[in-house]
C-alpha cells in the first residue's frame, strides 16, 4: 500500500478534514452547551443552500454552492476561525490572514489527487473571490446563519463582542441584502426585534 | 410575518436542524476531546461522497448522495443516535427504532413547505431503504467513516463496546464490500493491522 496512490491520497484528505471539528467559532450552539465548530457550521450552511434554493438567483448553481460551503472553512485547520466581529470587525479579511488561508488551501487540497485538488482549490477561490452568483449566494448564507443561531441562544457572539445593530448593518447587511433580499429583510427584522427586546437599542 | 408563509417554514426548519449538533455519537473525535456529533458526522460524509465519487458505480447520483447524507441523521433530533455496536449489535435497525425514526422524519421534514418536505422525506426513505445504487453508496460511506475515525484516535467505540474484528466483518463488511470494494479492501486491511497492533487479535 504505497502512500501516494490515488485512493491513499483521497483517504489522507478525508482523515485531515476531521480536524475541522476541533476548530471552534464564536457562536455558541442553540442550547449554549459549547461553541459551534467549523465542521458542523459547514454542514448547516449546506442545508441552508438546499432549503433556500428558491431564493437564489437564476444563475446560481445550487449543487456547486453546496460543494463550496462544505469545503469553504477547511483552511481554518491551519489558520483558525477569525470571528467577523473580533478586533472591532477589522481582523476578518485582513491581508495576512488572506495569505495564510491561501497557503492552507494549497496544503490541504494538495493532499488530494491532482484533478480533485485543482477542482476543490478553484471552487474554494471562487468562494473567496465572491464574484460569481454562486459564490455570492454561498457567502450570503455564511453571513445569515450566525445571526440566526445567536438568536436561538442568548445573543452569543453579539454579547461577547458587544455588537450593535449598526455594526450588523455595516458588516453583514450590504452584500446579503443584495443577494438574498427576502431572506435578509426577514432576518434583519428579527434581529432588530431581538436587539430591542434585549435592551440593546 | 405570519408563521406559516413559505420563507417562515424554511427558516423554522433551519432553526430545528441546529439541534442535531447536540446529538452525540459513540465515536470520539480524532483528538479525543469529545464524542462526535451527528451534524459534523453528516458533514464529513458529504465530503466522503464528493471525494470518493470515482469509486461509486455508474448509476450513482453523487449530488443526490450528498443531499441524502446531509439529511440522513436529522431524525436523531427526536430519537437519538443508536450506535451500531451497542447492545451487542442488536439495537441498530430494531423495529421500534425504525418506527420512531419514520415518525421523526415526518415531524422534522414536515416543518418545510410541502414540496420541499415531500422531496426530503422521499430522499430520506430512499436512504433508509438502501435499494437504489445512490442509497447504497451513501449507506456504505456511513459505515466506512466511523472505523476511519476510530483509528485516528485510540479505537473509540471499538473499545467502549469491546468490538472484535469478526463483529466488524459481520456488521459492516458484507454490504460495504459489495458497494465500495476498493475502499473496503483498503480500510479493512488498515483495521486488521490496527487490531493486530493493539493486541485485539
Amino acid at each position: 500500500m504505497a502512500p501516494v496512490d490515488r485512493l491513499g491520497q483521497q483517504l489522507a484528505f478525508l482523515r485531515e478534514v476531521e480536524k475541522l471539528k476541533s476548530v471552534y467559532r464564536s457562536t455558541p450552539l442553540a442550547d449554549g452547551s459549547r461553541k459551534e465548530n467549523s465542521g458542523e457550521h459547514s454542514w448547516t450552511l449546506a442545508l441552508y443552500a438546499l432549503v433556500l434554493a428558491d431564493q437564489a438567483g437564476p444563475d446560481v448553481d445550487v449543487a456547486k454552492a453546496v460543494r463550496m460551503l462544505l469545503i469553504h472553512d477547511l483552511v481554518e485547520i491551519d489558520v483558525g476561525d477569525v470571528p467577523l466581529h473580533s478586533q472591532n470587525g477589522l481582523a476578518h479579511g485582513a491581508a495576512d490572514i488572506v495569505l495564510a488561508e491561501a497557503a492552507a488551501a494549497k496544503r490541504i487540497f494538495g493532499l488530494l489527487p491532482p484533478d480533485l485538488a485543482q477542482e476543490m482549490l478553484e471552487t474554494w477561490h471562487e468562494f473567496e473571490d465572491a464574484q460569481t452568483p454562486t459564490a455570492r449566494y454561498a457567502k450570503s448564507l455564511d453571513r445569515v446563519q450566525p445571526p440566526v443561531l445567536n438568536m436561538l441562544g442568548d445573543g452569543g457572539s453579539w454579547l461577547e463582542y458587544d455588537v450593535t445593530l449598526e455594526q450588523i448593518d455595516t458588516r453583514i447587511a450590504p452584500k446579503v441584502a443584495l443577494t438574498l433580499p427576502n431572506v435578509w429583510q426577514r432576518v434583519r427584522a428579527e434581529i432588530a426585534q431581538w436587539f430591542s427586546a434585549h435592551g440593546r437599542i
Side-chain angles (χ1 to χ4, degrees), chain A:
Chain A
M1 289 192 291
V4 291
D5 72 314
R6 183 175 176 87
L7 184 54
Q9 291 173 315
Q10 288 161 305
L11 290 170
F13 174 82
L14 291 170
R15 286 188 182 95
E16 181 72 16
V17 306
E18 293 286 352
K19 295 179 185 168
L20 194 62
K21 297 170 183 171
S22 301
V23 174
Y24 290 93
R25 296 168 44 82
S26 62
T27 323
L29 296 191
D31 66 8
S33 58
R34 60 170 171 79
K35 296 285 177 84
E36 185 189 35
N37 71 71
S38 294
E40 63 196 357
H41 166 68
S42 302
W43 166 73
T44 320
L45 292 181
L47 286 176
Y48 267 69
L50 291 177
V51 166
L52 296 173
D54 63 349
Q55 297 287 333
D59 298 330
V60 171
D61 179 341
V62 172
K64 188 171 193 182
V66 168
R67 296 200 300 277
M68 248 177 212
L69 289 164
L70 289 172
I71 65 167
H72 82 292
D73 271 346
L74 284 174
V75 294
E76 296 181 1
I77 290 172
D78 289 357
V79 182
D81 178 61
V82 181
L84 183 65
H85 298 297
S86 63
Q87 293 183 35
N88 204 24
L90 295 176
H92 201 88
D96 56 335
I97 289 169
V98 170
L99 280 176
E101 288 184 342
K106 220 171 149 183
R107 180 189 76 75
I108 295 164
F109 298 124
L111 296 170
L112 287 163
D115 58 319
L116 279 172
Q118 190 182 337
E119 187 192 317
M120 290 223 181
L121 198 57
E122 282 175 9
T123 302
W124 181 80
H125 277 293
E126 182 180 338
F127 175 83
E128 284 297 304
D129 295 344
Q131 296 302 308
T132 64
T134 300
R136 284 182 178 150
Y137 177 58
K139 276 259 173 195
S140 294
L141 298 173
D142 192 25
R143 291 285 177 275
V144 167
Q145 183 258 354
V148 171
L149 185 49
N150 270 341
M151 286 187 283
L152 287 175
D154 64 357
S157 60
W158 292 334
L159 300 193
E160 182 176 354
Y161 294 111
D162 199 21
V163 173
T164 65
L165 187 57
E166 198 178 25
Q167 286 169 337
I168 289 173
D169 282 334
T170 311
R171 294 171 192 165
I172 301 180
K175 289 174 185 171
V176 178
L178 275 177
T179 308
L180 290 171
N182 297 329
V183 174
W184 184 248
Q185 188 183 27
R186 171 74 65 111
V187 174
R188 170 67 174 70
E190 290 173 2
I191 296 171
Q193 200 170 27
W194 190 95
F195 271 73
S196 172
H198 289 74
R200 295 182 70 84
I201 46 175

